[in-house]
Amino acid sequence: MRSKKSIGIIGCGWLGKPLSCELANDFAVECFSREDTTDTSAFWQSDTIIIAIHTKDNYIKTLQKILTLAKPTSNFVLMSSTSIYREFDSAVDESAIITKTSLIKEAEDLLLNSKRSVLVLRLGGLMGEDRVAGRWKSATDFSDGFVNYIHRDDVINIVKLMMQKGITEGVYNLVAPNHPLRSEIHQKNSEDFGFALGTFEGMTNRVIISDKLVKDLDYTFLHPNPLNFWS
C-alpha cells in the first residue's frame, strides 16, 4: 500500500486550519507549531509545504529560512495576494507585467527564483463565515469599486483539487467570477447583519480575472457571487 504524500502547512489560522482538516482526508498533514516544530523536525521533510502566513514578522527572512530548512525535493505553495496588482485600474490576469515593487512581489520572486517547484496562488479578498464585508471595527470610509473577493470554502476546495491533480507549478488568481460593487455588498450586509453603512467616495475599476484557474481545473465555484457569500 502506497503511503500518503505529506503536506506541511505553515500558518494554521483562519484559512490554514480548516484547509489542514480538509487535506487530511487524502494526505498526511502536519501544521507548523512555533512551540514544537524545530529546525530538525520531520515537518521539513514534507513533500509539499504550504505557506499561509501574514506578511509581517520578518516575512522575507521567514521565507528564506523555510527554503533553507525544507528538503531539496519539497514543492511549495505560496498563498500570495491579488494586492500585487495595485498598479492596475482595469481588468487584469496572470499575464500582467508587475512593475511596482512590494513585499508580496518580493516574496513571489524569492520563491519563483529558488529553482524549486512553486505554485503561487494570488488570493482575492478572503471572505466567508465571520468575515463579513463592511462590518469592520475601525473603517467607515471606503472607495467604491468592483470587488475581487473569494470565499474561504473555494480556496480550500481549489487547493485540495490542485494537490489531488498534482499541480505543483504556476501562478493562479483565486477570485470569484462575479464582481459586484463594494457598495452593493456593504448595503446588503448592513441590512442582513444590522450594522451601520459606511460612506463611499471614488471608484476603482480593477477586475481580477481567474479564467486560467477555471480552465486548468475545469473548476466551478462553490460561491461565484460575493453578494451571496453570507446567505
Side-chain angles (χ1 to χ4, degrees):
M1 183 177 178
R2 291 180 63 186
S3 60
K4 290 182 178 181
K5 286 195 172 183
S6 56
I7 296 177
I9 301 179
I10 304 175
C12 284
W14 188 82
L15 172 62
K17 185 61 176 177
L19 174 62
S20 70
C21 294
E22 183 64 31
L23 291 177
N25 294 320
D26 299 294
F27 303 93
V29 180
E30 181 181 354
C31 276
F32 176 89
S33 165
R34 289 181 185 270
E35 292 77 27
D36 303 323
T37 308
T38 67
D39 289 359
T40 57
S41 292
F43 176 91
W44 301 109
Q45 299 302 308
S46 300
D47 297 313
T48 298
I49 293 180
I50 297 175
I51 304 169
I53 56 177
H54 292 293
T55 56
K56 47 191 177 184
D57 300 329
N58 299 312
Y59 187 50
I60 300 301
K61 285 187 177 180
T62 299
L63 295 180
Q64 290 170 332
K65 184 175 182 180
I66 291 168
L67 285 168
T68 302
L69 293 176
K71 70 176 181 179
T73 55
S74 291
N75 304 318
F76 291 90
V77 179
L78 177 65
M79 297 298 193
S80 186
S81 169
T82 55
S83 64
I84 199 169
Y85 297 119
R86 278 182 178 163
E87 65 192 274
F88 299 93
D89 193 41
S90 59
V92 62
D93 64 16
E94 298 88 347
S95 67
I97 306 299
I98 312 295
T99 62
K100 290 194 175 180
T101 58
S102 65
L103 198 58
I104 293 294
K105 186 176 190 311
E106 189 178 348
E108 286 193 10
D109 288 347
L110 174 66
L111 266 76
L112 291 170
N113 295 329
S114 67
K115 298 182 180 178
R116 303 281 200 128
S117 291
V118 176
L119 182 61
V120 173
L121 305 181
R122 292 173 175 167
L123 308 186
L126 268 171
M127 295 292 170
E129 299 299 325
D130 58 328
R131 288 196 183 181
V132 179
R135 191 176 67 182
W136 316 126
K137 289 182 179 178
S138 55
T140 55
D141 299 317
F142 306 93
S143 171
D144 208 359
F146 305 107
V147 300
N148 296 286
Y149 290 162
I150 187 165
H151 197 286
R152 181 174 64 177
D153 292 350
D154 273 303
V155 176
I156 292 170
N157 199 36
I158 289 164
V159 174
K160 179 182 72 172
L161 289 173
M162 286 180 161
M163 296 299 96
Q164 291 173 339
K165 291 176 178 287
I167 298 174
T168 59
E169 295 183 337
V171 177
Y172 290 89
N173 293 334
L174 272 62
V175 175
N178 293 359
H179 305 268
L181 289 174
R182 183 173 291 106
S183 56
E184 289 182 274
I185 294 177
H186 286 202
Q187 176 69 47
K188 183 175 187 297
N189 286 349
S190 71
E191 295 169 1
D192 291 346
F193 293 94
F195 60 80
L197 184 66
T199 58
F200 293 86
E201 185 175 347
M203 176 75 181
T204 58
N205 299 293
R206 186 186 311 112
V207 173
I208 297 167
I209 308 300
S210 53
D211 290 356
K212 178 182 176 183
L213 165 75
V214 172
K215 179 173 179 284
D216 288 3
L217 278 185
D218 190 24
Y219 190 68
T220 300
F221 278 81
L222 303 172
H223 305 277
N225 191 345
L227 275 170
N228 302 321
F229 274 11
W230 300 272
S231 298

